[in-house]
Amino acid sequence: MILILLLLLVTVASGIAILHIYKNNYKTYNLLRVDPLETGGLKADNLEATLGKSEIWMLGDSRVRRWDEELLKDTVEIANLGVEGQTSSQVYYRFKSYLETSTPSIVILEVGINELKIIGLDKNLTSSITDQYFRNIESIIQMCRDKNIRMVLINIFPVGKIELSRRLVWNKVVNEAIIKTNQRLQSYCDDIRVYWFDAYSILSENGETVNIEYQSDFLHINNRGYQALSRELKEQINKILKQ
């Protein structure tokens, strides 16, 4: 009898947990339809004012959103325009809309992991996902060229060791796609208008996974990781500004 009650309690608890997950996913899905560019996820309270006063715009996903722009500041204003969970398509359309308001001197771009991780669900999507990604990156670069904006293109960060819970939605094909994508990203850089920043090498422990000292979770780095990146990137920004 006790065993039956325990099984019943476990069943009810599992059902409640699944319902909670479903409701959260349903909410997220519908909020995305209301605000496809997820502008509500920005740090800036007054976006127009932030864009207008900032000489440098940081664009990207959660890896940019969690980057404390104060680590990079010297003499110019920097706007952190990262949004959690975004893809290159969303970043492209956000950037396009921002340029209607103002124009920065430098754009710092890091994005890509949120589309590449989908490959973990179906490796047959690799070509279609990466093709769309590169079209978006090329379009962002072209917009910068058209507006005489210099760009720092940051490659995709390494991830951690695959957790047991993530093995259902991740495989080595994703890691391979990250490396191949970074190789092609570097080919876009000429150190005249588009500058290369190799975050992957700075953060990687063995060329495959992120250094445990810099890891926050599987996909994200901690403050020490951002400090390591910022030391190098701040120096690069200063050089670009002096040109």
Side-chain angles (χ1 to χ4, degrees):
M1 184 66 179
I2 295 176
L3 181 59
I4 294 175
L5 287 174
L6 287 173
L7 289 172
L8 181 61
L9 287 172
V10 170
T11 301
V12 171
S14 299
I16 293 173
I18 292 172
L19 179 61
H20 181 69
I21 293 171
Y22 171 77
K23 288 177 69 176
N24 280 340
N25 288 340
Y26 183 77
K27 177 182 177 182
T28 300
Y29 169 74
N30 282 283
L31 284 174
L32 186 60
R33 296 180 68 190
V34 173
D35 180 15
L37 300 185
E38 298 178 300
T39 53
L42 289 166
K43 283 186 178 182
D45 293 324
N46 187 330
L47 179 59
E48 187 171 340
T50 298
L51 294 176
K53 71 179 183 180
S54 301
E55 191 168 347
I56 298 174
W57 295 357
M58 299 176 67
L59 290 167
D61 49 35
S62 58
R63 288 157 164 193
V64 170
R65 178 66 172 77
R66 301 183 189 195
W67 198 324
D68 183 359
E69 63 272 21
E70 295 296 326
L71 293 172
L72 295 170
K73 279 187 179 179
D74 196 354
T75 59
V76 298
E77 285 293 322
I78 300 176
N80 187 319
L81 304 171
V83 176
E84 299 271 343
Q86 289 220 320
T87 64
S88 60
S89 293
Q90 291 171 298
V91 172
Y92 162 73
Y93 283 109
R94 281 200 294 120
F95 182 45
K96 189 175 181 180
S97 68
Y98 297 162
L99 289 176
E100 296 175 0
T101 299
S102 187
T103 303
S105 295
I106 298 174
V107 161
I108 298 170
L109 176 66
E110 189 286 325
V111 70
I113 192 62
N114 290 311
E115 46 248 85
L116 294 188
K117 70 182 184 182
I118 300 171
I119 296 170
L121 293 169
D122 185 354
K123 64 181 181 181
N124 294 320
L125 294 173
T126 301
S127 293
S128 60
I129 287 174
T130 55
D131 286 350
Q132 181 61 54
Y133 171 76
F134 289 125
R135 281 195 294 271
N136 291 331
I137 297 300
E138 289 165 7
S139 295
I140 293 172
I141 290 173
Q142 188 58 51
M143 283 193 288
C144 286
R145 292 187 184 280
D146 292 343
K147 295 285 186 177
N148 201 30
I149 302 168
R150 289 165 291 182
M151 173 190 282
V152 177
L153 184 56
I154 301 177
N155 59 6
I156 300 171
F157 296 2
V159 297
K161 293 182 179 179
I162 303 176
E163 306 152 340
L164 182 62
S165 60
R166 195 177 289 272
R167 288 185 181 276
L168 292 174
V169 294
W170 195 277
N171 55 57
K172 66 179 182 179
V173 178
V174 184
N175 298 69
E176 293 168 357
I178 292 173
I179 293 172
K180 290 179 181 178
T181 297
N182 284 342
Q183 290 171 346
R184 179 161 170 180
L185 287 178
Q186 187 172 10
S187 71
Y188 293 137
C189 301
D190 56 13
D191 285 336
I192 299 174
R193 304 305 306 175
V194 183
Y195 298 82
W196 177 245
F197 186 78
D198 189 4
Y200 192 99
S201 294
I202 295 172
L203 297 173
S204 178
E205 181 177 37
N206 51 15
E208 295 181 1
T209 56
V210 69
N211 188 325
I212 191 67
E213 180 184 350
Y214 298 147
Q215 184 174 348
S216 174
D217 58 36
F218 181 70
L219 293 176
H220 301 99
I221 60 173
N222 57 27
N223 192 54
R224 286 192 297 275
Y226 283 116
Q227 288 174 348
L229 293 178
S230 297
R231 283 191 294 270
E232 302 288 337
L233 183 55
K234 187 175 182 180
E235 183 178 336
Q236 185 173 20
I237 291 170
N238 288 333
K239 287 181 180 178
I240 295 171
L241 288 171
K242 289 176 182 177
Q243 291 178 356

